[in-house]
Amino acid sequence: FVLLRYRVVEELAGGGCAVVEWRLETGRTHQIRAHAKFIGFPLLGDDTYGGSKNMALSLLQSRNPRSYHDELLQIVGRLERPCLHAATLGFVHPYTGEELSFHREPPGDFAEILHQLRHVR
C-alpha cells in the first residue's frame, strides 16, 4: 500500500505540462514516476515511464499555436532526464526524534526548462 498526494502548482505552455507538488507519505523507488504514468500524466522527459520526448512534444504542440512549435521542439530536444526535482525533503530522525527538513533549488538544466516553458503562452 502506497500513500501519495499531489497537486498542480502551475500550468505551463498552454496546459501542455504543469509543475506538480508530490507528497509521499510512504514509498518505494520510482513511486512518483510510476504513479504519474498510472494517472495518465507521465513526467516530462521520462522515457521509462511514458513521458518520452515524442509524447511530450505531441502534447505540448497540440495545446499551443503553431508559432510556438519550433520553440517547443528545441525545449524538448534539450531534455536529458526526467523533469523531477526534490525541492524539499523532510523526516523525523529515527534516533533523536528531531524533525529534519532540507530544501534545494532546482538544478540549472531543470530551472532553464521551467523558465522557457513559462514563456510559452
Side-chain angles (χ1 to χ4, degrees):
F1 172 66
V2 174
L3 183 57
L4 180 75
R5 298 176 188 174
Y6 67 94
R7 73 179 180 93
V8 175
V9 175
E10 176 184 9
E11 287 189 13
L12 304 170
C17 61
V19 174
V20 178
E21 176 184 279
W22 297 87
R23 291 189 170 268
L24 287 73
E25 304 296 332
T26 64
R28 292 188 128 84
T29 304
H30 300 238
Q31 178 182 354
I32 292 172
R33 296 168 68 192
H35 189 74
K37 178 184 178 180
F38 177 77
I39 63 173
F41 298 101
L43 301 179
L44 188 63
D46 191 351
D47 290 330
T48 303
Y49 286 91
S52 70
K53 289 181 181 184
N54 287 336
M55 186 281 307
L57 186 60
S58 174
L59 184 58
L60 287 164
Q61 287 181 337
S62 72
R63 304 260 180 131
N64 288 280
R66 277 199 170 281
S67 59
Y68 287 106
H69 287 197
D70 287 342
E71 182 179 352
L72 290 165
L73 177 62
Q74 291 175 10
I75 293 169
V76 170
R78 287 192 291 273
L79 292 173
E80 295 182 14
R81 63 183 179 89
C83 287
L84 179 63
H85 171 66
T88 304
L89 294 173
F91 59 92
V92 176
H93 192 282
Y95 297 110
T96 67
E98 178 184 8
E99 290 187 23
L100 300 172
S101 182
F102 305 91
H103 179 80
R104 293 290 179 261
E105 293 299 317
D109 64 332
F110 189 97
E112 181 61 26
I113 287 171
L114 278 177
H115 174 76
Q116 292 171 344
L117 290 170
R118 282 182 173 128
H119 289 89
V120 173
R121 300 271 180 238

